[in-house]
Amino acid sequence: MIEKFHDVLKANNLKSTHQRLAILNCIDMHGHIDIDAIYEHIHLNYPSMSKATLYRNINDLVTFHILEEVKLPHQKQQYEIKKVPHIHLLCQECSGVEDIFIETKPLLEAVTLQSGFTISNSFIVMNGTCRVCSHKNFSSIS
Amino acid sequence: MIEKFHDVLKANNLKSTHQRLAILNCIDMHGHIDIDAIYEHIHLNYPSMSKATLYRNINDLVTFHILEEVKLPHQKQQYEIKKVPHIHLLCQECSGVEDIFIETKPLLEAVTLQSGFTISNSFIVMNGTCRVCSHKNFSSIS
DNA sequence: GCTTAATAAGATATTAATTATCCTATTTAA
DNA sequence: TTAAATAGGATAATTAATATCTTATTAAGC
């Protein structure tokens, strides 16, 4: 990939600037990341990048549905590249966030049935302990 | 109910002040509500309440798990009284938020099976159109 | 490749949101 | 009723986010 996001920007009539590509690549690399971390990361290779530019672009990219807000409990808001619907798994031990792609249709249908609500999309976060941390805990006990 | 939250505060070794009771009653009355709305509402009957007190108490009450953050997409963070797990339904037409109490165990089990993640709790939001707004739309078409 | 119009970036000022500080008031247990 | 502990109110300080304005960059047409 030279510039995998160039076409995405063009498709939305947004100019493909170095700053925007840097922002998108950074978020893509990290999966989930908040504003400050994006700024720090980009700043390493791109010290002239202004925070105003970052805020402005993040908001624009969310408006154009290229980015998506990720609001996890007790954490600063993060952003991710918009992709197919998935569930966020948030590990309380290592603070890692995993994505899991799983069938949620039965739940959605049950909700529709019970409430009469027509669902267009859903946002699901589960808190707990990831596989790795579970094993760590287990070994330290036994 | 004279003071349904008095005992909750005492149980957490928090002093039962008028301000705290006002905050909790306000949130309880509204279900979901953000900081500014709480402030405005309480200000009507309690003009001397300081915003610092509000922020401080909201944070304390979250720490003690008496309140819970509600983070909905594209909205300011809200708060609710912590209660049994439920799903939030967010209507895109009228911006209303409904709670629905429904079995999520099958989904949680499937996630555990697929990911090895041990889930302690989950946070689910569904966006769409509520029953009332669906009917409104239908009548205006036909 | 140039030129130009449109858009975006950077710097900075402004505004809004949140937290910290300090002194006074209230709560609660003895 | 009193005293110690805690919380409130006012305000200052900090942090986050947005707006403004000027310069720079992008991209389309020649």
Side-chain angles (χ1 to χ4, degrees), chain B residues 58-113:
Chain B
I58 290 284
N59 288 338
D60 291 349
L61 293 168
V62 169
T63 302
F64 280 96
H65 302 287
I66 297 167
L67 291 182
E68 196 157 29
E69 297 175 351
V70 181
K71 298 183 171 199
L72 302 171
H74 312 290
Q75 292 196 15
K76 193 170 172 187
Q77 176 162 326
Q78 298 183 298
Y79 297 92
E80 66 183 13
I81 305 295
K82 187 155 191 169
K83 43 194 168 180
V84 298
H86 58 275
I87 295 178
H88 293 110
L89 302 182
L90 175 56
C91 180
Q92 290 158 340
E93 306 272 328
C94 65
S95 301
V97 182
E98 283 176 47
D99 293 340
I100 179 172
F101 299 87
I102 199 167
E103 188 57 79
T104 56
K105 207 179 266 178
L107 178 63
L108 304 195
E109 280 170 358
V111 169
T112 298
L113 204 65

Side-chain angles (χ1 to χ4, degrees), chain B residues 24-73:
Chain B
L24 289 168
N25 284 326
C26 175
I27 296 172
D28 191 39
M29 267 171 52
H30 288 84
H32 314 76
I33 185 167
D34 67 34
I35 290 264
D36 289 339
I38 298 170
Y39 183 71
E40 278 171 39
H41 188 264
I42 292 182
H43 224 244
L44 295 176
N45 305 311
Y46 211 128
S48 73
M49 153 80 87
S50 161
K51 219 157 190 180
T53 299
L54 180 54
Y55 274 105
R56 197 168 24 204
N57 278 312
I58 290 284
N59 288 338
D60 291 349
L61 293 168
V62 169
T63 302
F64 280 96
H65 302 287
I66 297 167
L67 291 182
E68 196 157 29
E69 297 175 351
V70 181
K71 298 183 171 199
L72 302 171

Side-chain angles (χ1 to χ4, degrees), chain A residues 63-122:
Chain A
T63 302
F64 281 95
H65 302 287
I66 298 167
L67 291 182
E68 195 158 29
E69 298 176 351
V70 182
K71 298 183 172 199
L72 301 171
H74 311 290
Q75 292 195 17
K76 196 174 170 185
Q77 178 162 325
Q78 299 183 299
Y79 297 92
E80 67 182 13
I81 306 294
K82 187 155 190 169
K83 43 195 168 182
V84 298
H86 58 275
I87 294 179
H88 293 110
L89 301 182
L90 174 57
C91 179
Q92 291 158 341
E93 307 272 328
C94 65
S95 300
V97 182
E98 283 176 48
D99 293 339
I100 180 172
F101 299 86
I102 199 168
E103 188 57 80
T104 55
K105 206 178 269 181
L107 178 62
L108 304 196
E109 280 170 358
V111 169
T112 298
L113 204 65
Q114 183 172 323
S115 65
F117 208 86
T118 309
I119 297 162
S120 58
N121 63 72
S122 61

